[in-house]
Amino acid sequence: MNEKHTISCLVENHFGVLARVAGLISARGFNIDSLTVSATEDPTVSRMTIVVDADAIKLEQVKRQLDRLIDVIGVTELSEGKFIDRELLLARVKNVGNEHVELERLVQSTPGAKIAARSPGSCVVEAIGDTNMLDQFVEQLRAYGIEKLVRTGRVALEKE
Amino acid sequence: MATTKGAKILVECLKREGVEIAFGIPGGVNLPTFDALYDSGINVILTVHEQGAAHMADGYARATGKVGVCLATSGPGATNLTTGIATAFMDSIPVVALTGQVRTTVIGNDAFQEVDTIGVTRPITKHSFLVKDVRDIARTVREAFFIARTGRPGPVLIDLPVDTTVAEAEFLYPEEVTIRGYKPKILVDAAIDSIDQANIERAVEAIARSRRPVIYAGAGVIHGGASAELLELAHKTRIPVTTSLLGLGGFPETDPLSLGMLGMHGFEYTNYAVAACDCLIGIGARFDDRVTGKPDEFAKQATKIHIDVDPSSINKTVLVDIPIIGDVKAVLRTLNALVKPADTGAWLARIGEMRKTYPLIYRKKDKVLPQVVVQQISAATKGNAVIATGVGQHQMWAAQYYQFNHPRSLITSGGLGTMGFGLPAAIGAQFGRPGEVVWDIDGDGSFQMTAQELATAAQHHLPIKVAIMNNQFHGMVRQWQDLFYQSRYAQSRLNPVDFVKLAEANGCVGIRVERDQEVRPAIDRAMRVSDRPTVIDFLVESKEDCWPMIAPGKPHDQMLGTYESLKDAGGVPQHRRISPDEEAKLSLG
Ligand SMILES: Cc1ncc(C[n+]2csc(CCOP(=O)(O)OP(=O)(O)O)c2C)c(N)n1
């Protein structure tokens, strides 16, 4: 049975490492939901947070295949409940008439959301939260007419 | 501060890695490297084509266990290497490929002969490096050889922009290599993880409980130098041993416990034994689809134990019950100290019966049979030669009819199935083992893909022997077309070529064989030639089929071309491998 899994991968901060990781995952036929690369406390090391949709056996394969890459220092699967994950969302929403007030209200009542920019015809809403929360927020935003939307993909860290 | 040119640093590092020989072709951007190698003491062999260079490095590595080295210039030189690199990658062979690259300042500009070699080879190398700074050369070479030869071995590529090799730097040799992302289980005495230790104990119990166990050994036994340990395990437990194509030679086929090769063109009785076994012990093998057929039907009733150095090969195609990750030699030593003999008397007797009931078989024809040629080569060399092959029917006949008794005696492209591998691989093997007899058992199709390397062999007076099974077909393709495409021979017929003339044109001895009685004298004559290559053009039966065969996706007990199906059609059974008195000893056991 397929499920979403979050893999956290410490890699050498060399050029070409992203190509290796992405190439491996696609060559093995795994589907990536999201992949983020970011700096860590150590400038020579980056962290990749990869969300894949896979069953348990395939997941084990992805992890082992990743671990086989020389530039991958460590691979851990973050297990449910033991980690914090966040995404950032930016959405440009049409902003006309009375809806404006309602949109302001929605944004104010949503933790982690705010209006980041306003212009005469539209505004850009930003929101930070976990994937579920952002999914719900997107649904609520639809009523106001989303013109464009972008999400960073998940970053995650173990709680302890 | 004394400085040294990058190319000189490179060569010095190669020497410290123990490199004695390298194969390749120079060109614009790797001239500094060739110049530094020129008087270095490393024997640099000019090949005719870079594919030849990569296969020679591979054949050398397979024959000796050392790292093979090949060199090419940027662009077309590097792309010509790729088939050879992929071949080595699929069979886990330690090769280091040194490619030239355009100047760092023009990389990415579509400069003359620029190809993104790292990008092209990323999926077919264990690792690769682009060296942009002369100060990184020494460390890179050190790491490349370490990565190539340890863990599950494989090819590593170093891409060297020309300005890096002409720049100067202080030569600092790193004595130690530490790569934080790479911790292979390299040492034979490496501590075995507790989880694997527990699984070793479970394996001991499973073996003791089993009544119909089979060991399935792969190339990992040979790469890991664990043949002696495998022999000990088999003898201690009295468990019979089958090998994959690449595992041939890892267990002596003269041993009464040898079952020979399993899989698509494996022995009938061997595949029946695997289908019936209740405990399968996979050692350094990767459950390739040519071995397993339909994965969920493979050894269906068996408790499966899998010992492998590469965690990612566990549960990849076949789910196993007891995985043991570790250096094969170290694991086998631990296992051997714990195992007890299994109660396999009845099972061995049953296998002995099956061996007699389902021998290999072929029908005599008017023309020479390729199977007979292989049998005669096996007899003439007493199973002590190094055998390289191309890919196709002849490769399978070599595997079936040659009796392999020593590790590193079969050199064949198993994973990638690269036609054209045989001749250059034989050349590499002969360079690595100069005093020994090296044969290339080849097909006319495969041979022609790299036949130009005869010139390389002749130039160095290598006494390799090439046996071409000249059936004027891409025989394996023709067989599949007969089986699955109503004999529509779409592009499988080959134009007849006079290989004797081709041999002579290259300075080799050429012999043509058209009749049975000429087979052995020609082989014996080739064995006497010691100063140049010999090519024997065996004009063999053109439509001989390779049997038995498991059709793709079918289980092991449903084979085509079985003994039963051929015996009444004038087939001559080929009892081989073990002698009758060994057979008798076996049933006593
Ligand atoms: C480079 C390459 N191209 C194509 C194939 C597909 N192929 C597999 S076997 C075969 C025919 C081999 O013919 P030959 O070398 O004459 O050997 P035979 O089967 O006749 O013994 C072909 C074309 C391959 N394995 N490798």
Side-chain angles (χ1 to χ4, degrees):
Chain A
M1 197 192 60
N2 277 16
E3 267 180 46
K4 305 248 185 263
H5 301 272
T6 307
I7 298 171
S8 181
C9 212
L10 277 184
V11 302
E12 294 286 347
N13 185 11
H14 291 160
F15 87 110
V17 179
L18 175 61
R20 280 184 209 280
V21 169
L24 179 139
I25 295 179
S26 71
R28 301 274 163 183
F30 302 121
N31 238 336
I32 306 180
D33 268 26
S34 75
L35 187 158
T36 61
V37 192
S38 55
T40 64
E41 70 287 356
D42 176 349
T44 66
V45 173
S46 311
R47 184 183 300 280
M48 291 192 185
T49 311
I50 308 169
V51 182
V52 289
D53 200 15
D55 64 25
I57 290 166
K58 276 224 152 187
L59 178 75
E60 205 42 47
Q61 262 300 308
V62 188
K63 279 163 45 188
R64 286 179 173 164
Q65 293 288 348
L66 283 171
D67 219 8
R68 236 172 104 176
L69 293 178
I70 311 291
D71 285 335
V72 170
I73 301 165
V75 182
T76 35
E77 190 199 345
L78 301 177
S79 45
E80 211 50 60
K82 299 233 167 89
F83 66 93
I84 298 290
D85 66 301
R86 290 291 181 269
E87 272 192 69
L88 170 66
L89 165 153
L90 294 174
R92 196 167 78 208
V93 183
K94 279 191 215 130
N95 178 9
V96 281
N98 285 340
E99 286 159 325
H100 183 172
V101 184
E102 281 178 44
L103 178 65
E104 294 267 1
R105 220 174 272 144
L106 170 66
V107 170
Q108 267 162 25
S109 65
T110 307
K114 67 179 189 201
I115 293 188
R118 295 169 202 272
S119 50
S122 61
C123 69
V124 175
V125 177
E126 76 168 55
I128 296 173
D130 65 24
T131 306
N132 277 342
M133 186 231 124
L134 292 188
D135 286 349
Q136 280 170 20
F137 186 54
V138 170
E139 283 316 309
Q140 291 168 318
L141 280 182
R142 283 197 200 285
Y144 305 94
I146 300 174
E147 285 182 345
K148 281 193 174 166
L149 181 116
V150 63
R151 290 167 71 155
T152 55
R154 198 185 287 188
V155 292
L157 212 56
E158 295 107 318
K159 287 185 195 159
E160 49 187 289
Chain B
M1 179 183 77
T3 59
T4 313
K5 206 168 152 181
K8 270 226 144 51
I9 295 178
L10 170 69
V11 169
E12 183 53 33
C13 291
L14 293 178
K15 286 164 84 173
R16 295 198 190 189
E17 294 297 337
V19 175
E20 292 163 1
I21 190 166
F23 307 89
I25 302 183
V29 294
N30 68 358
L31 277 173
T33 302
F34 272 79
D35 188 63
L37 282 165
Y38 192 51
D39 50 6
S40 67
I42 294 177
N43 188 11
V44 183
I45 307 299
L46 171 65
T47 64
V48 184
H49 188 293
E50 287 88 352
Q51 183 185 350
H55 290 329
M56 285 179 208
D58 178 327
Y60 173 86
R62 292 187 204 229
T64 61
K66 299 180 199 163
V67 179
V69 176
C70 57
L71 303 126
T73 191
S74 63
T79 52
N80 272 352
L81 281 183
T82 51
T83 300
I85 294 173
T87 304
F89 182 66
M90 288 293 278
D91 290 347
S92 313
I93 306 303
V95 166
V96 169
L98 302 167
T99 48
Q101 184 52 279
V102 300
R103 287 195 319 275
T104 49
T105 47
V106 299
I107 286 181
N109 286 359
D110 298 328
F112 176 64
Q113 295 196 324
E114 180 186 359
V115 152
D116 173 11
T117 305
I118 298 287
V120 168
T121 57
R122 195 180 292 122
I124 53 170
T125 48
K126 184 171 174 187
H127 195 55
S128 53
F129 299 90
L130 173 64
V131 189
K132 288 195 196 160
D133 186 330
V134 58
R135 288 167 302 180
D136 292 335
I137 290 180
R139 186 186 45 80
T140 304
V141 174
R142 199 87 175 87
E143 291 185 1
F145 277 79
F146 178 67
I147 292 168
R149 63 161 74 101
T150 54
R152 178 178 181 165
V156 176
L157 183 137
I158 307 178
D159 204 23
L160 293 152
V162 61
D163 50 336
T164 311
T165 53
V166 294
E168 305 226 340
E170 190 184 356
F171 178 43
L172 296 168
Y173 189 70
E175 292 300 333
E176 299 274 313
V177 232
T178 42
I179 308 168
R180 53 186 167 182
Y182 182 63
K183 300 271 177 291
K185 304 197 174 181
I186 30 170
L187 300 171
V188 168
D189 298 317
I192 291 170
D193 291 353
S194 55
I195 184 164
D196 295 312
Q197 185 65 46
N199 280 348
I200 290 179
E201 280 152 27
R202 285 175 60 208
V204 170
E205 282 165 34
I207 290 170
R209 263 200 320 273
S210 70
R211 292 294 171 267
R212 302 185 308 279
V214 167
I215 293 171
Y216 150 47
V221 170
I222 297 170
H223 298 325
S227 298
E229 287 75 10
L230 172 62
L231 197 70
E232 184 184 337
L233 175 67
H235 283 187
K236 232 178 181 161
T237 54
R238 302 201 44 77
I239 300 180
V241 180
T242 176
T243 73
S244 64
L245 175 67
L246 292 183
L248 284 171
F251 190 79
E253 293 193 288
T254 40
D255 193 288
L257 290 169
S258 166
L259 298 176
M261 182 175 73
L262 84 167
M264 181 174 270
H265 289 287
F267 300 129
E268 223 182 312
Y269 78 93
T270 307
N271 283 332
Y272 295 156
V274 170
C277 73
D278 67 353
C279 178
L280 185 85
I281 307 151
I283 308 178
R286 63 188 182 93
F287 294 81
D288 176 76
D289 54 85
R290 286 291 188 264
V291 161
T292 60
K294 210 172 163 191
D296 21 309
E297 296 279 338
F298 181 64
K300 216 169 160 184
Q301 314 159 31
T303 304
K304 297 184 187 74
I305 302 166
H306 188 184
I307 304 170
D308 207 285
V309 71
D310 178 8
S312 71
S313 69
I314 306 268
N315 287 344
K316 192 169 65 183
T317 53
V318 170
L319 292 183
V320 299
D321 305 287
I322 308 176
I324 302 169
I325 298 163
D327 177 272
V328 168
K329 197 177 174 111
V331 172
L332 287 185
R333 282 190 178 169
T334 313
L335 190 60
N336 283 340
L338 300 172
V339 283
K340 292 167 211 68
D343 180 5
T344 57
W347 175 232
L348 291 178
R350 182 167 153 201
I351 288 177
E353 273 313 305
M354 292 200 289
R355 195 199 309 263
K356 272 187 237 147
T357 319
Y358 309 108
L360 283 173
I361 184 167
Y362 51 69
R363 278 172 282 185
K364 285 275 179 216
K365 304 268 171 73
D366 291 340
K367 288 195 123 182
V368 172
L369 285 179
Q371 297 94 316
V372 172
V373 175
V374 177
Q375 283 177 319
Q376 290 297 333
I377 294 174
S378 190
T381 60
K382 303 190 175 63
N384 293 325
V386 176
I387 304 291
T389 79
V391 169
Q393 294 180 311
H394 64 277
Q395 177 190 30
M396 294 300 123
W397 284 315
Q400 292 175 336
Y401 288 91
Y402 195 90
Q403 187 153 26
F404 293 97
N405 294 322
H406 310 287
R408 306 194 180 283
S409 57
L410 174 62
I411 296 184
T412 193
S413 167
L416 198 65
T418 309
M419 291 171 68
F421 178 71
L423 175 64
I427 294 173
Q430 185 77 81
F431 272 117
R433 287 161 65 174
E436 297 182 45
V437 177
V438 178
W439 279 84
D440 168 31
I441 297 180
D442 224 327
D444 48 337
S446 295
F447 174 72
Q448 290 188 80
M449 289 204 183
T450 52
Q452 68 275 14
E453 300 302 340
L454 279 181
T456 311
Q459 186 191 346
H460 296 277
H461 306 284
L462 299 182
I464 56 163
K465 295 109 185 43
V466 181
I468 303 175
M469 307 296 167
N470 186 354
N471 52 9
Q472 291 168 28
F473 266 113
H474 277 157
M476 189 60 96
V477 172
R478 196 268 315 143
Q479 178 170 346
W480 282 49
Q481 288 169 332
D482 275 334
L483 285 170
F484 310 121
Y485 296 89
Q486 299 82 43
S487 304
R488 285 157 55 86
Y489 296 153
Q491 284 64 51
S492 55
R493 247 179 237 283
L494 284 165
N495 197 44
V497 171
D498 186 337
F499 291 114
V500 172
K501 275 195 185 145
L502 183 71
E504 287 167 357
N506 280 285
C508 309
V509 175
I511 307 172
R512 175 161 303 111
V513 169
E514 295 179 68
R515 273 178 289 275
D516 272 342
Q517 59 271 31
E518 297 163 6
V519 171
R520 187 57 185 264
I523 292 168
D524 290 340
R525 190 177 147 207
M527 296 282 283
R528 288 192 300 270
V529 178
S530 60
D531 61 346
R532 73 192 85 171
T534 304
V535 176
I536 313 181
D537 185 8
F538 289 99
L539 296 180
V540 296
E541 174 64 37
S542 62
K543 291 195 191 170
E544 182 66 6
D545 287 324
C546 183
W547 302 127
M549 172 179 180
I550 305 176
K554 287 280 167 20
H556 279 51
D557 42 12
Q558 293 173 30
M559 300 188 79
L560 302 171
T562 56
Y563 175 72
E564 273 306 306
S565 70
L566 296 173
K567 75 173 197 299
D568 297 328
V572 189
Q574 300 301 308
H575 290 285
R576 59 184 294 279
R577 289 172 199 270
I578 66 170
S579 63
D581 36 311
E582 279 168 334
E583 192 83 53
K585 265 192 272 168
L586 199 64
S587 2
L588 287 179

